[in-house]
Each structure stands twice: as C-alpha cells, then as structure tokens.
Amino acid sequence: MVFTIIIISCHLFATTNENEIETEIVKINYIGNNNINAKKINKILNVRIDNTKKYKDGFNKRLIKLEEERIKYLYISKGYMNCQVSDSLFVNSHNQLNIIYKIREGEKYLLNKLPIIGNKVLEKEDILKILDLQFNKYFNIFSFKDKLKLLKNKYGQLGYAYAEINYEMNNDPDLEITIKIDENEKYFIKDINISGLKKIKDSAIKKQLNIKSEDRYDLGKIKQSRRRIIELGMCNSVNIVPENRNIDSQYVDLHIKISEALEHRWDANFGFRQGRVEFVNHSYLFSQIDWTHKNIFSRAHRLSISSSINLLMNQIFDLKNTQFSYDVQLSYRVPIIWKYHLPTTISLYQKKDVYSPFNKIKIDKNDELITKGLSVLSNYKPDRKFQISMGYTLREIESILSQERSELQNRVSIISKYDNRDNFLYPHNGFNIRLSTDFVNSFEGNFSQYIRWEMSVAKYFSIFKNTVLASRIAIGEIYNFSEYDPLTALFRMGTETSVRGWTQSIGDEYLTTDSLTVYAGYNEVLANLEYRIPLFWIFGAEFFIDAGQLKNNFKDVFQLNEYYISAGGGIRIESPVGPIRFEVPFVINDPSGKKKFGDQTEIKIIIAILFAY
C-alpha cells in the first residue's frame, strides 16, 4: 500500500508543469500526533480543506513541504525538539487529493538546570529576569533564542558592544543549558561618520542623534536615533553599525549608512474612510491629492499641499442623505525646534465639514461647519507606543451653531496617546488610550470660553486563537465660562462608532439662535463591548452592546435607566484597508421614550478603516 502511494505521488508531480496540478483537497489526516490534536494543527496550516478547495495557479509539492515545517515548528515550540514530520499524497479516481502527515513526536524536553558562566556586569537574577524561563516546563527553543537577543541588547545598552553570548545543551529530556557570556570591554564612541547623503546636509542627520562623540556606546540610543532619522521621511534605508574597534583605547566609531529617497512625491487616494468631523463620527467616500517636497533647504524640512473632496453619508448607498465636504491645506514641517526633537508643523487650512447635531435624518446646509485658520502643532514621541501633541490654532468658525454665525477663536490643544495594539486594523491584544484637552476663547465678545477634555480607553482581549473581545470606556466634560452654550463643542453621541441604533445625536436639548433644537451634552459617558468571531475566508461575525449618556453633569452616571443602550450583531468583511461592517442594532433602552425596547429602524451598512473603536 505504501509503495502504491509513492508511485502515484511520483506520477502526480512528474506529469504536471513545474510540479503543479489542479486538484481538490478532500482529506487531511495525521498519524502519530498523540499529544497535539488535529484541530490545533489545522489552525496553523495554510493548506486546508475549508479554504483551499482549488488552487488557481496549480498545486505543488513545495506547499506541502512548507506545511511540514509549520507542523514541526509547532511541535518544537511545545518542547518536542526531536520531532520529525513526513508526508504522503494520494489522488483518487475523481482527481481528489488526500494528504497524510506522519508525525514522530519524540520526547518532550523540560528545562531542569540553567548555569550561567562569565557574567560580571549583570547579576544572574537580572539575566534570568530578561530570559524569563520557567523550570520544569516545556522548553521553547525559538523563544529562548529571541530572549538571548534581548540579553545581548541589554549588554549593548550598557556599552558592551562586542559581548558574545553562546549556549550549550545536553541531549536529554531533563534539559540542562549552560549560557556562556564573554562580556568583553565597555566601549565609548569616538567618531560618527555618515555616508550615502546626496542632497541632505550632514547637520540635518546629526540633529536626529541622541548619542555623540565621547558618549558610552548605548544600543538603545542608537536604535532610537535610527528611528528618528527614518521618521524624517527622506530615507529609504538607515543602518548604524560600529566599526574601527580599538581594543586598547576601548573606542569605536559609528557608521551611519543612508539611502536617500526621492525629494518630490505625488500621492492620489480614493476610497472609503471612517473619521471624525468636529466630535461626530461618520463614514465617507473620499478623493485626495497630495504633493510633498521632503527636503526643503537640504535639511529634511517638508512642504506639502493637500486637497480632498469627500462625500459624507450616514448610510452607504443612501445618496439622498449625503453632502460634499472639502479640505485644503498648506503645511510646512520642521523636524527640530530649539535643539529639541519636536517635529513641528505649521499649517494654513480651510475646510468644510458636515455633521448632524440635530435629530433628523437628512443632512442639509444647517449641518455645515466651515473653519479656516493657522495652526502650529508639535509632537513628542519617545517611542512607537506613546505620543504627545501640543498645538495652537487661530481659527475662524462659520456655523449656524455659533452665536454670531462667524467667530474668531484661539485654541490650545494637548493630546496624548498610548497604543500598544498588536494590529492597527484588526487588533487582538493591547490598549489604545487617548486623552485630549482643548482651551478655547473668542477674540471678540464672550461667545466661546471653555475647557473641553475627553478620555477614552480601549482594551482588546484574545479569548481564543482568533476571537476577540473588544471593550471601550470614554468620558468627557466641558467647563463653560461664557453665558452662551458652546454648541460647536458640546459632545454628540450616536452613529456607528458610539451608540449604534440612533442615526443622529442623542442627549439634552439646546436651542440655536434660529430656535433649532440641538441634541448634545456638556458631559459624556460611553461604554462599548463587542465580541468578534471569524467565520470563514474573509468573513466574520460580531455581537455588541453599546451604552451612552449625555448630560449637564455626572449625577446620573450610575443610573442605568438614564443611558441610551443598544445591542445587536453583524457581519464583517476583512478587506486590506479595514473591515466592512453590516450591522443590525436593536434598542434596549431609550431615556427619551421615543424608541421602545427591541426597535430596529434600519440595517446599518458601515464602511470603515478602523473598527468602531
């Protein structure tokens, strides 16, 4: 039988072009998998019955060999270091392919002893903390090698640029690993040399460095300097390597190798986007053209002109409920201000936003907000996860919500963000925290004088391998120092990114100068919980519950009957630019009494770059 399978398999791959066939996979079997079940193995494979019925460009032996390596990697990561995997293929009379993986697991290796030799700078306890190994637990060689890189980086941060770390292990399931460390000497920086520059000045690059001559060699600062140079946006690649090592003087040079990018760039974008229009979320069809010069004065300063035209909508395909908006902006970006690494952008802009603070379905001219002005924005970003933005804007606002229809304002804003999500579009783990504060006052009269702050915390939990529990809590408050309500700044709530089930804003009633009713609030409390499940291919399902409250104070914050609450489910399509969501929200509670329990007005079609939060 085995001989027959081999003969058929050889014939199969010998008679096809470049070892390719067009066939249907009907069965995948495993032999010898005593400690890891087939379900867990299936999850890591790309060649599956459920999503690879046929291969458009044919099927080849190389794909199966790659799957063998994935199975072997899984077993080795679970401690089965001597695991072996082989395959057998069988094609029946209907040209249907059966795949058999034969697994020889071997014994599971458990870490028993970990002697460390040669460490003088770092104590053994510090090294064990970095390695984060568990004794008498299965040993993951791949994770161990990654942790050794972290240990080497730690030595590099302390100045030991040429520290060598090796290990030896016995071939016994009761595993003993000996780590041998040769720390060498601590080194200092002598010269910093830059190569590859054609149009950028050396001084523009050196300003991005937080390490200089005579400093101790510090791998952490070197990596941060490299990131800063890359963030200039003027380099295709940046590498910083030590060279010219002098053992006697314990000095080493740094060589910065740079490949420059093109100075000029045109960008044209077209598609769907989800965003914020003056505190109200929306979806829109957009077209955008940008021109950028990335190296003004040969100092990596950036000049850009951006223009966009947007078609805003509450429901895609609801063309009667749409309106155009636009945004034109001229910006100049300086990477260094006053010797500090605070990339600063100065912008002149004019834009027309569309939003709907009124409780109605149709968007009309009452929903226009035209702003134009001058803004200065500086960013402080010590690492990839944390960022603080500080800005000043001199702006003119034209809106039916303004007391005099047109108002000249000062605005000072501070925004801090912390984002350690594992994936920007489809997060499974991590936090996304945002805190913003605005200080606003009018130049003339006493129309707008207020402080507005808002904080949101989103947390993502990976419940199973691919299912995600996403949660968010947001809270905000406005301190008003004017006799007039700041209607352009009051919190709004509703639509697809806050409390689904209410198309327009919810909250208390406020009157404009034309006696139009605005639904908004001085205080905001919002909570969302969503369970996201993969179905098949690019399709997924989601179940959610939303709750929100807009009031003049927080006295009803613990009164559940004072919250607008909705729940429901939907289908998600995972596209390369973000999820396309088809959702059906149902009303659970409406404090205004306008909607009853179980009401569902329409199926919301939401096209977005990001999840609802």
Side-chain angles (χ1 to χ4, degrees):
M1 180 62 183
V2 175
F3 179 78
T4 304
I5 291 174
I6 295 174
I7 292 296
I8 293 176
S9 300
C10 292
H11 176 73
L12 176 69
F13 292 105
T15 57
T16 55
N17 184 29
E18 295 183 358
N19 289 338
E20 293 181 351
I21 64 170
E22 291 188 4
T23 187
E24 180 183 8
I25 302 172
V26 295
K27 187 177 291 187
I28 299 177
N29 289 331
Y30 305 97
I31 299 175
N33 57 314
N34 300 318
N35 295 290
I36 300 180
N37 60 43
K39 186 176 181 180
K40 290 183 179 180
I41 299 176
N42 285 335
K43 287 183 177 180
I44 67 166
L45 299 184
N46 291 329
V47 178
R48 304 181 188 178
I49 297 174
D50 57 356
N51 66 356
T52 55
K53 292 290 186 183
K54 285 198 173 184
Y55 288 84
K56 181 179 178 181
D57 299 323
F59 179 82
N60 59 61
K61 181 70 172 176
R62 183 178 61 85
L63 293 174
I64 296 298
K65 289 300 179 185
L66 289 175
E67 299 297 73
E68 288 181 17
E69 292 301 317
R70 288 189 178 93
I71 297 173
K72 189 174 180 179
Y73 183 96
L74 173 64
Y75 268 94
I76 293 176
S77 69
K78 299 295 184 181
Y80 298 92
M81 295 179 59
N82 294 324
C83 173
Q84 297 180 1
V85 182
S86 59
D87 67 84
S88 298
L89 306 176
F90 173 72
V91 177
N92 62 23
S93 58
H94 300 289
N95 199 32
Q96 294 174 324
L97 178 63
N98 293 262
I99 304 174
I100 302 172
Y101 293 104
K102 187 175 181 181
I103 301 170
R104 192 174 171 187
E105 294 178 338
E107 294 186 86
K108 179 183 286 190
Y109 281 65
L110 305 178
L111 181 59
N112 187 25
K113 294 180 180 180
L114 188 68
I116 301 173
I117 301 173
N119 58 303
K120 299 177 183 177
V121 176
L122 292 176
E123 297 292 336
K124 181 177 180 179
E125 291 75 15
D126 298 326
I127 295 175
L128 291 176
K129 188 176 181 180
I130 294 172
L131 297 178
D132 191 27
L133 296 173
Q134 294 182 323
F135 291 91
N136 298 316
K137 298 287 186 179
Y138 69 82
F139 177 71
N140 185 342
I141 184 66
F142 304 115
S143 176
F144 173 68
K145 289 181 178 180
D146 289 338
K147 296 295 177 59
L148 288 182
K149 292 178 182 178
L150 294 179
L151 179 59
K152 187 175 178 63
N153 287 342
K154 181 63 177 179
Y155 272 105
Q157 293 172 10
L158 298 174
Y160 296 85
Y162 297 96
E164 296 180 5
I165 302 175
N166 298 295
Y167 67 91
E168 294 179 356
M169 61 173 64
N170 61 349
N171 190 20
D172 192 301
D174 289 329
L175 192 60
E176 180 177 339
I177 302 177
T178 302
I179 298 178
K180 297 182 178 181
I181 301 174
D182 184 0
E183 295 175 339
N184 283 303
E185 301 294 334
K186 182 188 291 186
Y187 280 82
F188 295 84
I189 305 299
K190 185 179 181 182
D191 296 322
I192 299 177
N193 305 308
I194 304 173
S195 65
L197 295 184
K198 298 177 180 179
K199 296 185 177 181
I200 306 175
K201 291 183 178 179
D202 280 22
S203 59
I205 299 299
K206 288 181 178 179
K207 285 182 179 180
Q208 305 303 316
L209 305 177
N210 62 348
I211 191 168
K212 60 184 183 298
S213 180
E214 299 300 328
D215 282 356
R216 185 192 73 197
Y217 181 93
D218 189 328
L219 186 59
K221 289 184 176 182
I222 292 172
K223 288 184 175 181
Q224 188 181 56
S225 299
R226 178 180 178 272
R227 177 171 59 82
R228 288 179 174 180
I229 297 172
I230 292 174
E231 288 176 352
L232 288 175
M234 192 53 205
C235 305
N236 288 326
S237 65
V238 179
N239 290 302
I240 304 178
V241 295
E243 62 181 18
N244 300 328
R245 174 186 179 185
N246 190 314
I247 299 177
D248 297 328
S249 65
Q250 297 176 18
Y251 275 98
V252 65
D253 296 337
L254 287 184
H255 185 189
I256 304 174
K257 303 177 182 179
I258 293 177
S259 172
E260 287 188 5
L262 295 176
E263 286 188 318
H264 304 274
R265 175 168 178 166
W266 283 94
D267 289 294
N269 299 288
F270 177 82
F272 290 101
R273 182 179 289 170
Q274 179 184 20
R276 294 174 65 87
V277 177
E278 289 299 316
F279 319 125
V280 175
N281 292 281
H282 64 284
S283 298
Y284 58 85
L285 181 69
F286 77 96
S287 60
Q288 181 173 324
I289 297 177
D290 300 328
W291 173 84
T292 304
H293 190 300
K294 299 185 288 185
N295 192 29
I296 298 293
F297 305 128
S298 300
R299 298 168 63 189
H301 290 199
R302 178 172 294 203
L303 178 67
S304 61
I305 301 173
S306 174
S307 63
S308 65
I309 298 177
N310 313 307
L311 180 64
L312 285 93
M313 57 202 74
N314 287 329
Q315 296 282 320
I316 193 66
F317 309 130
D318 183 5
L319 298 181
K320 294 180 180 180
N321 191 21
T322 61
Q323 189 164 328
F324 284 99
S325 71
Y326 63 81
D327 187 353
V328 180
Q329 185 167 282
L330 174 66
S331 301
Y332 187 84
R333 179 180 179 271
V334 181
I336 296 291
I337 292 290
W338 300 316
K339 297 184 180 180
Y340 294 99
H341 186 79
L342 293 172
T344 299
T345 302
I346 303 172
S347 301
L348 285 171
Y349 68 91
Q350 177 166 329
K351 60 182 178 179
K352 172 189 171 185
D353 289 337
V354 180
Y355 61 103
S356 190
F358 311 98
N359 251 2
K360 54 183 172 49
I361 300 301
K362 185 179 179 182
I363 297 177
D364 58 35
K365 64 181 181 180
N366 290 327
D367 304 327
E368 293 182 0
L369 175 66
I370 298 176
T371 59
K372 49 191 173 184
L374 170 69
S375 69
V376 180
L377 181 67
S378 296
N379 291 312
Y380 172 66
K381 192 174 182 181
D383 55 49
R384 295 183 181 274
K385 299 177 182 178
F386 182 69
Q387 177 179 343
I388 296 179
S389 301
M390 298 156 286
Y392 167 77
T393 304
L394 173 62
R395 65 182 183 178
E396 182 184 17
I397 293 181
E398 297 178 24
S399 170
I400 196 173
L401 300 182
S402 296
Q403 191 67 26
E404 293 295 323
R405 299 294 179 91
S406 179
E407 185 178 347
L408 191 62
Q409 295 180 345
N410 283 304
R411 181 175 79 163
V412 176
S413 61
I414 302 173
I415 301 173
S416 59
K417 301 176 183 178
Y418 176 80
D419 188 351
N420 69 344
R421 291 175 293 176
D422 58 344
N423 188 292
F424 178 68
L425 293 176
Y426 301 99
H428 287 75
N429 292 285
F431 280 97
N432 185 18
I433 303 172
R434 185 179 188 272
L435 174 63
S436 63
T437 305
D438 288 336
F439 305 86
V440 176
N441 75 288
S442 297
F443 266 97
E444 300 178 359
N446 191 31
F447 304 132
S448 294
Q449 291 187 4
Y450 62 86
I451 298 174
R452 184 185 194 276
W453 67 268
E454 182 180 20
M455 181 177 182
S456 66
V457 179
K459 171 62 178 170
Y460 304 87
F461 304 88
S462 182
I463 305 301
F464 300 107
K465 182 175 178 61
N466 292 315
T467 65
V468 178
L469 183 65
S471 60
R472 176 179 65 172
I473 296 176
I475 186 170
E477 188 172 13
I478 295 176
Y479 303 98
N480 186 29
F481 304 102
S482 169
E483 59 182 298
Y484 305 105
D485 295 318
L487 298 184
T488 59
L490 292 183
F491 292 103
R492 319 276 199 267
M493 196 175 289
T495 75
E496 63 269 20
T497 59
S498 55
V499 183
R500 287 160 277 195
W502 283 267
T503 304
Q504 304 300 322
S505 186
I506 58 182
D508 293 337
E509 297 182 0
Y510 298 87
L511 292 178
T512 68
T513 53
D514 294 337
S515 298
L516 292 171
T517 302
V518 174
Y519 295 84
Y522 274 87
N523 296 67
E524 170 199 48
V525 180
L526 173 67
N528 306 93
L529 191 66
E530 187 169 290
Y531 187 48
R532 300 164 182 167
I533 307 170
L535 295 178
F536 62 94
W537 192 35
I538 60 174
F539 292 93
E542 57 200 30
F543 301 94
F544 61 84
I545 182 168
D546 303 330
Q549 180 188 104
L550 294 178
K551 294 285 186 177
N552 287 335
N553 50 59
F554 289 124
K555 69 177 184 178
D556 294 327
V557 68
F558 297 111
Q559 301 297 321
L560 189 61
N561 61 345
E562 292 294 326
Y563 282 86
Y564 290 82
I565 305 174
S566 65
I571 298 296
R572 181 184 70 254
I573 300 175
E574 295 187 357
S575 73
V577 295
I580 302 174
R581 302 154 66 90
F582 299 79
E583 297 178 336
V584 184
F586 294 90
V587 173
I588 302 299
N589 186 60
D590 185 346
S592 69
K594 296 177 181 178
K595 294 185 179 183
K596 298 180 181 179
F597 178 86
D599 281 356
Q600 190 274 314
T601 56
E602 57 189 332
I603 297 177
K604 296 184 67 61
I605 301 176
I606 301 168
I607 298 183
I609 284 185
L610 303 179
F611 280 119
Y613 45 90

